[in-house]
Amino acid sequence: MELALSLARKGLGRTSPNPPVGAVIVKDNKIIGQGYHRKAGEPHAEVMAIAEAGISAKGATMYVTMEPCSHIGRTPPCTTAIIEAGIENVIIGCLDPNPKEDGAGRKVLIDAGIKVEVGLMEEECKELIEAYSKFITTGIPFVAIKWAMSLDGRIATETGRSRWISGAQAREFIHQLRNEYDVIAVGIGTILKDDPLLTCRIDGGRNPVRAIFDTRARTPLNSKIVKTSDEVKTIIFHSDRARREDIERLRGKNIETVDISGVEGGIDIAKVIKEVGRMGLTSILVEGGARVIGYIVGNALFDKVYITISPILIGGRKAPAPVINAGIKELTEALRIDKVRYLFKGDDIIISGYRQV
């Protein structure tokens, strides 16, 4: 199952809106077939593993990270392929959270006389499909927020300098996250201040869709994201305060624009998240700035956090903090983070966890 999980992780960010799944077939204590779901519309992990095993799959055991599908989608049901291959045992990491499935895949296999076990490394398998699970049950993407800060809680100097607070190893980890999430999102302030490229820069990585919260459609035509809009899909979410000519100039650069007006002429980020879901995108990594993060935190719109803490002290009364919002009056009102993990990257610590619900 560990091997199946490692295979499945290769599909993160590429299978959306399908889940990443890995499968391994074993017979006589030997691995005879491996596979993972590479991309939506392509063969599923179970089918890939069966194809590699060939006729040897008869009488074998399959380990698969998620319950095999029993319905017809873009591809035929995996349960049919398993039955026809003559596999005798199927060990499943976790059940498919899709309400349309509801344990149907397991039932089909059992009815065919196949021995089925569920729950091996279940927690790890569920974490692997956390974005898919939320999206398939709610239609709303999984939202993660991230920032890098100093030991004294600053994300930049008083003059706005923030490159680089974190070290190279921590930044590489963030690029891996970009490789896994469907969308990377920032506010217009980050575009104007840092002019980021917002791409994934690891070997073999793929670029997420870039989403910009830009109330007045002020994104400069000479910015890096506009200059690369022919290469990487870019969406600017604006409000009705944006001028028509500014919207049109961005559209002329192959940038998609969407009006998501909120209260007082601003952008309703909750609506943006829902709109991203309607586009069939299952996960969003929000990288800033502090006001965007503050709105998301203040309205409990996030599911997960990634916080990089670097061993430096910045100081300064006007040096920005990572979260800007109205704040709370009592500590009992604070949002709590569960399932906290600590990852050491060089001299930096990356803390991750989930919003307690």
Side-chain angles (χ1 to χ4, degrees):
M1 189 62 78
E2 288 180 351
L3 176 57
L5 279 164
S6 67
L7 289 168
R9 291 188 184 103
K10 294 181 180 181
L12 280 168
R14 292 161 172 77
T15 63
S16 183
N18 293 341
V21 178
V24 175
I25 300 175
V26 177
K27 188 175 184 180
D28 298 328
N29 295 319
K30 293 182 180 179
I31 293 173
I32 60 172
Q34 303 178 39
Y36 70 95
H37 189 31
R38 299 172 184 269
K39 185 179 179 181
E42 293 189 5
H44 289 186
E46 300 93 324
V47 174
M48 297 289 288
I50 290 169
E52 184 175 297
I55 60 174
S56 297
K58 186 174 182 180
T61 296
M62 172 180 284
Y63 292 81
V64 60
T65 57
M66 194 187 79
E67 175 186 18
C69 63
S70 62
H71 62 277
I72 298 176
R74 296 187 187 181
T75 58
C78 291
T79 50
T80 301
I82 292 170
I83 294 167
E84 291 178 348
I87 289 174
E88 289 187 356
N89 304 286
V90 176
I91 299 174
I92 299 169
C94 65
L95 294 177
D96 188 343
N98 188 343
K100 293 181 179 179
E101 197 66 37
D102 193 26
R106 175 178 59 175
K107 185 178 185 303
V108 167
L109 295 176
I110 292 173
D111 289 347
I114 296 174
K115 183 180 178 181
V116 178
E117 298 178 31
V118 179
L120 180 61
M121 300 187 71
E122 185 173 27
E123 184 176 346
E124 293 88 342
C125 292
K126 284 184 174 180
E127 182 178 344
L128 178 71
I129 61 167
E130 60 192 9
Y132 166 77
S133 294
K134 182 183 179 184
F135 179 76
I136 203 67
T137 56
T138 67
I140 298 173
F142 185 87
V143 179
I145 54 177
K146 78 88 180 169
W147 64 80
M149 68 181 186
S150 62
L151 284 175
D152 54 339
R154 301 292 191 266
I155 60 171
T157 66
E158 288 186 327
T159 57
R161 303 295 183 184
S162 60
R163 293 183 178 177
W164 296 103
I165 286 179
S166 57
Q169 292 183 43
R171 295 198 301 273
E172 183 177 356
F173 174 82
I174 298 305
H175 280 285
Q176 180 59 46
L177 288 182
R178 291 182 180 182
N179 177 56
E180 296 175 1
Y181 277 74
D182 289 350
V183 178
I184 180 173
V186 299
I188 181 60
T190 298
I191 299 297
L192 297 176
K193 180 171 69 73
D194 297 335
D195 190 23
L197 190 56
L198 300 180
T199 55
C200 173
R201 295 186 286 280
I202 59 173
D203 290 341
R206 48 51 106 189
N207 293 319
V209 174
R210 301 180 296 195
I212 316 300
F213 307 128
D214 185 1
T215 302
R216 294 189 177 92
R218 294 183 293 154
T219 300
L221 294 184
N222 63 351
S223 62
K224 291 177 182 176
I225 64 161
V226 172
K227 288 180 179 179
T228 56
S229 57
D230 286 336
E231 305 165 24
V232 184
K233 181 172 181 174
T234 306
I235 307 171
I236 288 182
F237 294 96
H238 62 86
S239 77
D240 53 13
R241 295 171 66 185
R243 299 187 306 172
R244 175 53 52 186
E245 53 266 38
D246 291 331
I247 295 171
E248 292 301 329
R249 70 185 173 87
L250 290 168
R251 287 179 177 174
K253 296 295 183 178
N254 198 35
I255 290 177
E256 185 176 343
T257 63
V258 182
D259 186 342
I260 304 286
S261 296
V263 294
E264 300 177 355
I267 293 174
D268 188 331
I269 293 180
K271 288 183 180 179
V272 171
I273 294 171
K274 291 180 180 178
E275 180 63 26
V276 168
R278 282 192 285 270
M279 295 175 179
L281 301 166
T282 66
S283 59
I284 306 172
L285 178 65
V286 182
E287 295 201 7
R291 293 189 184 279
V292 170
I293 296 289
Y295 182 92
I296 290 173
V297 170
N299 290 276
L301 297 175
F302 70 98
D303 301 289
K304 193 171 188 177
V305 297
Y306 296 96
I307 302 169
T308 301
I309 301 178
S310 297
I312 60 173
L313 297 169
I314 293 176
R317 292 183 178 181
K318 296 181 180 179
V323 180
I324 298 177
N325 60 21
I328 58 172
K329 294 181 174 59
E330 301 292 338
L331 283 176
T332 54
E333 301 172 5
L335 294 177
R336 183 165 292 278
I337 304 303
D338 272 343
K339 300 179 182 178
V340 177
R341 292 180 181 171
Y342 302 89
L343 180 65
F344 293 87
K345 291 291 184 179
D347 291 332
D348 300 328
I349 300 174
I350 299 176
I351 300 176
S352 67
Y354 298 85
R355 176 175 62 86
Q356 187 179 80
V357 293

